[in-house]
């Protein structure tokens, strides 16, 4: 224990402290590394590039829809664009950014581990992801173009008769590769969190972000194999003469939807839970309070995960072949743990000291945007209302509210944890501009889409010539998309402007968790020393003795804090 | 609405806060119960059929709940961030749990959810019921158009991309729709019906509509079905019952009869080829 409490003498630099790690440098180091932080950084850069590519597709889509008979792109190109927009954003940005980039970097540090449990598997995950991304996007360079059957690839539209091109096969192949990447990351996260926690880091002392990543990893392991199996079946139908999804051979097209959504709805939470975790950490740190209802928060996460495995058919209400009431009540019930989270976030800020850093503003932007996306999701859990709005822009607006909230949360994560990895802060002034453009842009972009959906505009249409009145609302939405584009440019500008300019120090935000105890960036195996871990906020406890979280029942006695221990 | 700004100083304050919270959650429930015709539309419209009106009322009920809960949450967030914005380096009280409050915001949402579910069931059961009727329309969707045939008559309407084939149905009559697809999945969607249903290959989807207003309503394929998905339009023309009878009668000539027979034969061949294991007479019989 004395070692733990008394830091060793100052160490000049990580390299000197770890002489055994002399290895390749430069690009060779990047290619051969098994360090979770460098792999995580590769993930971050790749995922942000995917965000920019997917965003560019979105801007073209919105430009096309700015006029009822738009002819910026052809009907065929339009189908490719929205298919690849959805695929890039869901498969190549949101998931990998959450569990490849931030979890990879942060989870081992948060639990006091030197690296992931299987560092080489971790490297393999990244290379599978990069290969998968390149494979999927290369569809644009083959004859017939990229996949064009929507990101959900419903059979029988996705069979070899209706979609003969190689772009579809590249889409399947790319998705298989990124799917395996996700599965391996899931295995790795589970093993890391179960086996590599520092002494004292019990399960109920793990930060919420780590908890959410554990639940996400379990969901990945339950859901992704189903998608993988479905994709193999689809490929066999396309090339090996099976008839799994074709009626002519006695197959069932709807089976694809079952397989896809059995993965697809847990996937929604695989995407969302990591970002919920980020927001939880950020709100707590920037309110200078512990996470309100810490255990309730974990319970809510677990119940969201459990429920998410039983709601897939709410995507299929209008097929007419699923049991409506069961999937309706299961879907409605997810609102309950989600609501618990929302109130816990508010409770965390309550009587705190809310500090409006860019990261916190982004997290607050997440709260508002996610509230809208969450409330509109409740409608869709009701079959009659789903019949009404299914495949209209209302649904598009709903899930874009959710994913724009996730983008806000992801940006919060970058502003919050970026300094830990790079050692440098981003510019706060540009950050605030970025926040306001992203936040306002998101609302201006989604709000008209809700109305368009209610007025009957279907999704995935390149023209809406019969109802030119929809132009005004579409133009407004396009304006929102442009504002979001500006915010993305501001982010890139900020990275360039702030490059190695504002040293962060080890603990710029007065953080709670272990990553703020080590240096920025952390040394090769993350820690030279560790504090005692006696709560989920070891760094806070170390820096603010006498300000531990109040026990249950102490909530009403703020005037009687625990006896002040002398600050060391 | 909620301003528990006072520092809590004992049981009375806590009781008052409880009362206020209870009132805040009672509001959406009361509003749901009151949802009637003076309620705002929240962007939807009552539509032209009996079930579209039920769906509209359900929409209003959900919207009131969403608006009240949304306003409550926004108010709480705004209050928290403005009232408790950082003013110094003081470390606030590190309170972490408030079990009664946590139980409250777990139990109340569960009750609201079951209320929403009950309302859903009522409308849903009405909407998916298939009462007996004499007016049946076989709707066949294909890449990229629609074919409407009327079993027992010679009536046939057929139209491809952008041709707007018109499905004629009588007003105030239960109309059974037998929806099928000849190739990929399509979506039968009429905005004025507040309703959509997939046309699935190999599956016969049945539903009943009862139009209450005459008029012509726009419909469109809503499920991505390939290149010309954007242009796969149709119309539904709701006419009086006598107009409907005379419209059917216009097909009573040898030419129309031959066309209808040929079309019906093509449809059954197409659909039968999709379901070889099951005889078309039971699955798509007419």
């Amino acid at each position: 224990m004395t070692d733990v409490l008394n830091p060793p003498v100052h160490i000049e630099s990580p390299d000197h402290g770890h002489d055994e790690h002399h290895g390749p440098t430069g690009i060779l180091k990047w290619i051969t590394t098994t360090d979770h932080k460098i792999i995580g950084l590769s993930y971050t850069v790749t995922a942000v590039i995917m965000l920019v590519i997917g965003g560019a597709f979105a801007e073209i889509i919105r430009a096309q829809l700015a006029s009822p008979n738009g002819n910026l792109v052809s009907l065929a190109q339009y189908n490719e664009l929205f298919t690849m927009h959805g695929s890039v954003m869901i498969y190549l940005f949101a998931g990998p950014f959450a569990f490849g980039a931030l979890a990879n970097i942060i989870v081992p540090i948060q639990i006091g581990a030197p690296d992931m449990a299987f560092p080489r598997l971790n490297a393999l995950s990244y290379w599978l992801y990069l290969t998968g991304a390149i494979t999927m996007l290369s569809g644009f360079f083959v004859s017939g173009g990229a996949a064009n059957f929507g990101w959900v690839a419903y059979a029988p539209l996705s069979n070899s008769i209706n979609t003969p091109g190689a772009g579809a096969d590249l889409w399947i192949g790319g998705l298989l590769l990124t799917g395996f990447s996700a599965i391996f990351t899931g295995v790795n996260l589970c093993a890391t969190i179960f086996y590599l926690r520092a002494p004292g880091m019990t399960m109920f002392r793990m930060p919420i972000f780590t908890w959410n990543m554990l639940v996400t990893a379990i969901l990945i392991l339950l859901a992704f194999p189903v998608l993988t199996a479905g994709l193999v079946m689809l490929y066999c139908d396309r090339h090996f003469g099976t008839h799994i999804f074709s009626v002519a051979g006695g197959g069932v097209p709807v089976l694809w939807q079952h397989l896809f959504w059995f993965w697809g709805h847990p996937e929604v939470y695989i995407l969302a839970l990591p970002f919920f975790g980020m927001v939880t950490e950020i709100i707590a740190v920037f309110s200078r309070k512990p996470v309100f209802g810490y255990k309730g928060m974990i319970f809510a996460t677990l119940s969201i995960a459990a429920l998410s495995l039983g709601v897939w058919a709410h995507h299929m209400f209008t097929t007419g072949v699923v049991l409506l009431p069961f999937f309706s009540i299961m879907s409605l019930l997810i609102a309950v743990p989600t609501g618990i989270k929302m109130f816990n976030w508010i409770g965390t800020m309550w009587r705190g000291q809310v500090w409006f850093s860019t990261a916190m503003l982004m997290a607050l932007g997440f709260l508002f945007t996610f509230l809208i996306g969450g409330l509109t999701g409740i409608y869709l859990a009701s079959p009659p209302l789903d019949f009404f709005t299914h495949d209209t822009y209302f649904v598009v607006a709903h899930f874009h509210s959710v994913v724009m909230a996730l983008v806000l949360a992801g940006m919060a994560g970058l502003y919050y944890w970026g300094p830990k990895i790079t050692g440098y802060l981003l510019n706060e002034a540009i950050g605030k501009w970025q926040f306001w453009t992203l936040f306002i842009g998101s609302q201006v972009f989604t709000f008209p889409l809700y109305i368009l959906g209610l007025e009957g505009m279907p999704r995935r249409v390149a023209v809406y010539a019969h109802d030119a009145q929809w132009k005004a609302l579409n133009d407004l939405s396009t304006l929102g998309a442009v504002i979001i584009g500006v915010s993305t440019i501001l982010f890139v500008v900020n990275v360039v402007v702030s490059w190695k300019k504002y040293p962060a120090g080890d603990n710029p935000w007065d953080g709670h968790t272990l990553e703020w105890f080590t240096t920025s960036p952390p040394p090769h195996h993350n820690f030279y020393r560790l504090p005692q871990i006696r709560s989920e906020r070891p760094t806070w406890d170390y820096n603010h003795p006498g300000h531990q979280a109040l026990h249950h029942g102490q909530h009403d006695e703020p005037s009687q804090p625990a006896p002040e221990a002398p600050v060391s | 609405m909620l301003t528990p700004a006072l520092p809590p100083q004992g049981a009375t304050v806590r009781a008052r806060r409880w009362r206020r919270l209870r009132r805040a959650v009672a509001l959406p429930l009361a509003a749901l119960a009151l949802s009637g015709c003076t309620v705002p539309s929240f962007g939807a419209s009552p539509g032209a059929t009996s079930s579209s009106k039920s769906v509209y009322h359900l929409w209003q009920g959900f919207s009131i709940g969403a608006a009240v809960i949304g306003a409550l949450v926004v108010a709480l967030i705004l209050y928290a961030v403005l009232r408790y914005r950082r003013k110094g380096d003081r470390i606030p009280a590190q309170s972490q749990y408030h079990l009664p409050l946590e139980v409250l915001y777990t139990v109340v949402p569960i009750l609201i959810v079951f209320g929403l579910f009950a309302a859903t069931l009522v409308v849903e059961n009405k909407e998916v019921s298939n009462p007996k009727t004499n007016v049946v329309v076989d709707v066949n969707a294909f890449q990229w158009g629609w074919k409407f045939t009327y079993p027992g008559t010679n009536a046939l309407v057929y139209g491809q991309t952008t041709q707007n084939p018109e499905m004629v149905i009588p007003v105030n009559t239960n109309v059974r729709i037998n929806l099928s697809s000849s190739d990929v999945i399509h979506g039968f969607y009429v905005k004025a019906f507040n309703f959509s249903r997939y046309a699935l290959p190999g599956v016969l989807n049945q539903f009943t509509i009862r139009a209450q207003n005459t008029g012509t309503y726009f419909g469109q394929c809503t499920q991505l079905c390939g290149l010309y998905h954007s242009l796969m339009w149709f119309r539904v023309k709701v006419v009086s019952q006598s107009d409907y009878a005379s419209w059917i009668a216009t097909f009573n000539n040898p030419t129309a009869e031959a066309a209808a027979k040929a079309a019906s034969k093509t449809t059954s061949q197409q659909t039968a080829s999709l379901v070889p294991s099951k005889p078309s007479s039971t699955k798509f019989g007419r």
Side-chain angles (χ1 to χ4, degrees):
Chain A
M1 275 302 141
T2 43
D3 275 341
V4 164
L5 287 174
N6 298 313
V9 284
H10 184 65
I11 290 166
E12 286 287 323
S13 80
D15 292 340
H16 295 168
H18 287 253
D19 283 338
E20 71 271 30
H21 288 295
H22 278 313
T25 51
I27 186 127
L28 207 59
K29 177 182 171 193
W30 174 70
I31 289 174
T32 57
T33 188
T34 57
D35 182 341
H36 73 105
K37 295 183 290 296
I38 298 173
I39 295 171
L41 213 51
S42 305
Y43 259 114
T44 313
V45 172
T46 316
V48 170
I49 290 172
M50 291 304 148
L51 174 69
V52 172
I53 293 175
F57 293 163
E59 302 291 347
I60 302 173
I61 291 170
R62 285 314 320 171
Q64 162 75 13
L65 292 176
S67 59
N69 259 323
N71 53 8
L72 182 67
V73 294
S74 69
L75 292 180
Q77 286 167 332
Y78 187 80
N79 286 0
E80 289 174 39
L81 277 173
F82 68 71
T83 299
M84 294 309 280
H85 164 70
S87 302
V88 167
M89 288 303 201
I90 300 275
Y91 305 129
L92 305 181
F93 161 65
F97 181 80
F99 50 74
L102 286 178
N104 218 333
I105 295 172
I106 298 303
V107 165
I109 314 183
Q110 275 198 332
I111 60 174
D115 202 317
M116 294 285 266
F118 308 115
R120 285 183 194 150
L121 188 68
N122 197 18
L124 177 65
S125 286
Y126 172 71
W127 294 107
L128 283 176
Y129 160 56
L130 184 65
T131 332
I134 294 169
T135 307
M136 194 186 282
L137 285 169
S138 62
F140 280 110
F141 306 110
V142 300
S143 74
N148 58 5
F149 37 50
W151 75 279
V152 296
Y154 274 9
L157 183 64
S158 51
N159 68 16
S160 55
I161 299 162
N162 291 304
T163 313
D169 296 318
L170 290 167
W171 183 89
I172 295 172
L175 190 44
L176 275 170
L177 291 168
T178 50
F180 276 113
S181 153
I183 291 170
F184 295 155
T185 304
V187 170
N188 224 334
L189 281 170
C190 280
T192 307
I193 294 172
F194 282 134
Y195 289 108
L196 293 190
R197 297 194 310 279
M201 179 63 77
T202 60
M203 293 300 273
F204 276 114
R205 287 178 191 163
M206 293 197 317
I208 292 287
F209 178 71
T210 296
W211 256 110
N212 282 25
M213 285 319 308
L214 174 64
V215 178
T216 303
I218 293 169
L219 275 183
I220 288 174
L221 295 183
L222 291 171
F224 265 82
V226 180
L227 175 72
T228 307
L231 287 169
V232 171
M233 292 180 209
L234 184 61
Y235 196 85
C236 289
D237 262 18
R238 287 174 62 85
H239 294 291
F240 304 141
T242 59
H243 292 279
I244 298 162
F245 305 122
S246 91
V247 184
V252 183
V254 173
L255 175 63
W256 167 260
Q257 295 184 32
H258 280 291
L259 293 172
F260 183 85
W261 289 116
F262 187 82
W263 162 80
H265 206 80
E267 165 74 358
V268 171
Y269 294 98
I270 289 169
L271 299 184
L273 289 177
F275 294 97
F276 291 174
M278 292 175 208
V279 167
T280 311
E281 303 274 312
I282 289 165
I283 288 181
V285 166
F286 291 104
S287 303
R288 310 196 84 195
K289 275 184 63 197
V291 175
F292 184 76
Y294 169 81
K295 285 184 183 167
M297 205 72 155
I298 294 166
F299 165 76
T301 306
L302 290 170
S303 35
I304 286 178
L307 285 168
S308 79
L309 290 163
V311 300
W312 75 91
H314 70 214
H315 297 270
M316 303 162 58
F317 282 155
T318 60
T319 57
V321 296
V322 296
L323 186 64
L324 301 176
F326 172 79
F327 289 104
S328 173
I329 187 65
M330 293 291 277
S331 310
L332 283 170
L333 277 174
I334 290 197
V336 176
T338 315
I340 293 175
K341 280 179 178 291
M342 184 61 85
F343 286 115
N344 281 349
W345 287 324
I346 297 170
T348 304
M349 295 187 288
W350 209 259
R351 298 210 189 96
Q353 289 268 1
V354 180
W355 172 12
F356 295 117
S357 66
T358 303
M360 183 63 175
L361 285 174
M362 293 278 186
L364 291 171
F366 161 87
L367 290 189
F368 282 103
T369 316
F370 181 69
L371 176 69
I372 297 170
L375 287 173
T376 51
I378 295 174
Y379 292 85
L380 298 172
S382 170
L385 299 179
D386 183 78
F387 296 162
F388 168 27
T389 51
H390 186 83
D391 273 337
T392 70
Y393 261 93
F394 185 83
V395 174
V396 177
H398 153 68
F399 67 72
H400 277 90
S401 282
V402 174
V403 293
M404 287 318 297
L406 301 187
V407 170
L408 280 157
M411 283 296 163
L414 283 179
Y415 275 85
Y416 176 66
W417 278 315
K420 176 49 63 182
I421 295 315
T422 61
Y424 295 91
L425 297 162
L426 286 167
N427 183 302
E428 283 282 304
I430 302 177
K432 276 165 192 166
W433 276 98
Q434 192 204 340
F435 163 71
W436 286 109
T437 44
L438 183 56
F439 179 66
I440 294 171
S442 300
Q443 317 311 326
V444 174
F445 161 59
T446 51
F447 188 70
L449 299 185
Y450 285 109
I451 305 172
L452 280 171
L454 295 175
E455 289 186 358
M457 180 163 166
R459 61 194 290 199
R460 296 171 177 148
V461 292
V463 294
Y464 46 100
H466 54 81
D467 202 338
Q469 288 175 336
W470 292 339
K471 178 175 162 49
L473 286 165
N474 270 298
D475 285 354
L476 191 58
S477 182
T478 304
L479 174 69
V482 170
I483 300 174
I484 294 170
V486 170
S487 88
T488 313
I489 293 168
L490 282 174
F491 176 69
V492 176
V493 167
N494 200 351
V495 171
V496 173
V497 166
S498 315
W499 192 257
K500 300 208 169 175
K501 209 166 175 186
Y502 315 105
D506 294 349
N507 190 4
W509 318 118
D510 197 0
H512 294 173
T513 39
L514 279 182
E515 72 269 30
W516 303 110
F517 197 81
T518 186
T519 54
S520 307
H524 185 80
H525 277 157
N526 296 344
F527 293 97
Y528 296 125
R529 60 195 181 116
L530 280 172
Q532 281 188 318
I533 302 167
R534 292 294 174 268
S535 78
E536 80 273 12
R537 300 192 300 165
T539 304
W540 171 275
D541 293 343
Y542 183 87
N543 289 329
H544 304 281
H547 288 280
Q548 293 92 344
L550 295 173
H551 288 297
H552 176 65
Q554 277 183 297
H555 50 82
D556 271 340
E557 286 114 65
S559 52
Q560 296 163 23
E564 286 281 338
V567 179
S568 53
Chain B
M1 184 185 311
L2 271 188
T3 51
L6 300 165
Q9 269 153 10
T12 51
V13 175
R14 223 172 294 155
R16 205 183 314 147
R17 213 190 306 163
W18 266 87
R19 263 204 307 281
R20 260 188 252 162
L21 271 166
R22 254 193 315 233
R23 215 178 307 150
V25 290
L27 261 173
L29 293 176
L32 262 180
L34 288 171
S35 66
C37 30
T38 54
V39 184
S41 69
F42 296 102
S45 50
T49 67
S50 56
S51 22
S52 73
K53 293 189 169 76
S54 316
V55 171
Y56 174 66
H57 291 308
L58 188 66
W59 174 268
Q60 288 176 312
F62 268 62
S63 298
I64 291 165
V68 172
I69 294 169
L72 171 75
V73 173
V74 168
L76 286 173
I77 296 173
L78 285 179
Y79 182 83
V81 298
L82 296 178
R83 168 75 177 77
Y84 303 114
R85 68 189 180 279
R86 187 167 190 175
K87 288 168 193 136
D89 280 340
R90 186 182 64 84
I91 293 177
Q94 300 294 300
S95 54
Q96 188 165 27
Y97 291 102
H98 190 306
L99 203 57
L101 201 57
E102 289 178 65
V103 170
L104 182 80
Y105 61 61
T106 308
V107 171
V108 171
I110 291 177
L111 297 179
I112 295 176
V113 156
F114 277 96
L116 295 175
F117 183 57
T120 292
L121 280 186
V122 172
V123 178
E124 177 187 304
N125 289 340
K126 187 176 163 191
E127 203 173 21
V128 300
S129 69
N130 272 322
K132 276 212 178 306
T133 173
N134 293 323
V135 183
V136 180
V137 188
D138 286 347
V139 178
N140 182 246
F142 55 89
Q143 285 175 322
W144 288 272
W146 303 88
K147 182 159 66 182
F148 306 108
T149 48
Y150 294 70
T153 77
N154 297 327
L156 160 73
V157 185
Y158 174 94
Q160 286 179 324
T161 312
T162 69
Q163 284 179 341
N164 285 323
E166 216 164 58
M167 178 172 93
V168 179
I169 56 168
V171 74
N172 287 327
T173 312
N174 288 329
V175 179
R176 168 82 45 82
I177 308 283
N178 292 329
L179 185 60
S180 64
S181 164
S182 301
D183 35 55
V184 299
I185 301 172
H186 301 276
F188 177 94
Y189 168 70
V190 182
K191 197 257 155 183
F193 294 173
N194 289 347
F195 183 80
S196 69
R197 180 57 60 88
Y198 282 178
L200 291 165
V203 173
L204 184 66
N205 256 328
Q206 295 191 315
F207 55 91
T208 305
I209 46 177
R210 186 182 179 87
Q212 292 181 323
N213 313 69
T214 58
T216 303
Y217 306 107
F218 183 77
Q220 184 165 8
C221 175
T222 48
Q223 180 58 41
L224 176 67
C225 56
L227 190 57
Y228 295 106
H229 164 63
S230 312
L231 306 172
M232 196 172 145
W233 308 336
F234 64 98
R235 290 185 195 284
V236 178
K237 190 175 181 185
V238 180
V239 297
S240 71
Q241 290 170 2
S242 57
D243 284 355
Y244 175 73
S246 47
W247 179 77
I248 290 283
T250 59
F251 292 91
N252 287 336
N253 58 63
T255 329
E257 193 173 345
K261 274 223 180 81
S264 153
K265 205 171 162 191
T266 328
T267 308
S268 31
Q269 273 170 358
Q270 278 173 348
T271 45
S273 75
L274 289 172
V275 201
S277 54
K278 290 171 190 163
S280 65
S281 57
T282 58
K283 189 83 180 169
F284 294 96
R286 54 178 52 94

